[in-house]
Amino acid sequence: MSELEISRHTIVDWSNFCREVMYDGLVAHKVKIGGVGVEVEIDESKFGKRKYHRGHAVEGQWVFGGVERGTNKCFLVPVEKRDKTTLLNIIKEWILPGTTIISDCWKAYDCLNDEGYVHFKVNHSINFKDPETQQHTNTIEGLWRHGKFSLPQYHRKKDFIGGYLAKHMFLKQIKNKNDALIEFFKLAGHLYNANVPINVEQNSSDTDDNEETDEETDDNIVY
């Protein structure tokens, strides 16, 4: 950016500020997804890399997420634990009661039918689509792939991952990517003036709910 006489430090500062706006607008002021008759897929995935590029030890950040089928509305939340208490609290913060939730067989989800949700499980050790219910988690698997690809290859500090995830959430919800700057200004305007409504144009075409995947999903680790 030398032709504009903008220093690298200034560019980094503004990039961080923009991600903070997206985080505050979409995460701190969250809007719940789902509802009666609406299907939401949930999953956890580790954003990281194999230590020294060998062995099984993996460094990185666990992320818990959910995506609403048909609208691409989603949430991505960094977590330190994947236990029942942690994940259930996030589910209640982000997903409306009565929602049909589809997940893998992680034990922390066993309580969902008792918590006001309709819950279907997919046993990934046997198949990627349940032969009886026809349920799958392909939509959120696609979200993980795109989300990990959107992160910078280097300098993935845990302190910054929330901002990168918020940026991905923001872009996923925009119908026309050419309107990203306009939608960003709307989001910033709402944060600094509560009378300005948030009305991000929803994108329903990026993800195919029936997209087949042949990836292993137990750990969902990117290298």
Side-chain angles (χ1 to χ4, degrees):
M1 302 297 290
S2 58
E3 63 273 15
L4 298 178
E5 298 184 353
I6 300 176
S7 69
R8 176 180 175 82
H9 180 75
T10 299
I11 295 172
V12 171
D13 279 350
W14 274 101
S15 296
N16 290 337
F17 169 74
C18 290
R19 288 193 295 270
E20 288 175 4
V21 168
M22 296 175 197
Y23 181 88
D24 289 341
L26 297 178
V27 179
H29 298 81
K30 61 181 68 67
V31 176
K32 291 186 177 183
I33 64 176
V36 176
V38 179
E39 295 177 319
V40 172
E41 299 176 22
I42 61 173
D43 193 20
E44 338 86 52
S45 184
K46 194 166 191 179
F47 285 55
K49 61 181 180 180
R50 195 178 299 279
K51 190 175 183 181
Y52 306 123
H53 304 286
R54 61 186 180 183
H56 189 67
V58 174
E59 299 176 327
Q61 173 69 60
W62 279 103
V63 176
F64 177 58
V67 58
E68 183 179 292
R69 289 179 177 173
T71 67
N72 274 337
K73 294 178 182 178
C74 63
F75 65 87
L76 299 167
V77 181
V79 294
E80 296 302 323
K81 296 181 180 180
R82 297 182 296 145
D83 60 307
K84 172 184 173 181
T85 300
T86 300
L87 300 186
L88 182 58
N89 285 339
I90 297 174
I91 289 170
K92 289 183 175 180
E93 287 179 358
W94 280 97
I95 303 179
L96 291 167
T99 301
T100 298
I101 296 179
I102 303 95
S103 74
D104 59 18
C105 292
W106 181 240
K107 59 184 179 180
Y109 304 139
D110 289 345
C111 64
L112 291 181
N113 280 321
D114 298 325
E115 296 291 340
Y117 300 99
V118 179
H119 185 211
F120 290 96
K121 299 179 183 178
V122 181
N123 190 340
H124 289 150
S125 65
I126 300 176
N127 45 52
F128 291 106
K129 178 183 286 187
D130 189 281
E132 295 184 3
T133 65
Q134 298 300 304
Q135 293 289 359
H136 60 82
T137 57
N138 295 339
T139 313
I140 196 162
E141 296 299 335
L143 181 67
W144 292 138
R145 288 194 295 272
H146 292 297
K148 291 170 181 177
F149 182 77
S150 70
L151 263 64
Q153 185 175 1
Y154 303 103
H155 309 298
R156 295 183 179 182
K157 295 182 179 180
K158 282 190 175 183
D159 292 343
F160 298 152
I161 195 168
Y164 286 114
L165 294 175
K167 175 185 175 182
H168 185 64
M169 290 168 58
F170 172 75
L171 293 175
K172 286 291 291 183
Q173 296 182 49
I174 297 176
K175 184 176 182 180
N176 186 344
K177 296 299 186 290
N178 293 328
D179 294 335
L181 184 60
I182 295 174
E183 298 299 336
F184 173 80
F185 285 146
K186 288 181 182 179
L187 195 63
H190 177 79
L191 289 175
Y192 292 100
N193 182 355
N195 293 323
V196 177
I198 296 179
N199 185 25
V200 177
E201 293 293 333
Q202 297 298 325
N203 177 11
S204 60
S205 60
D206 283 352
T207 306
D208 183 359
D209 286 348
N210 295 317
E211 178 186 3
E212 295 293 336
T213 177
D214 56 1
E215 293 185 318
E216 292 294 335
T217 58
D218 289 341
D219 290 329
N220 294 319
I221 296 170
V222 63
Y223 304 115

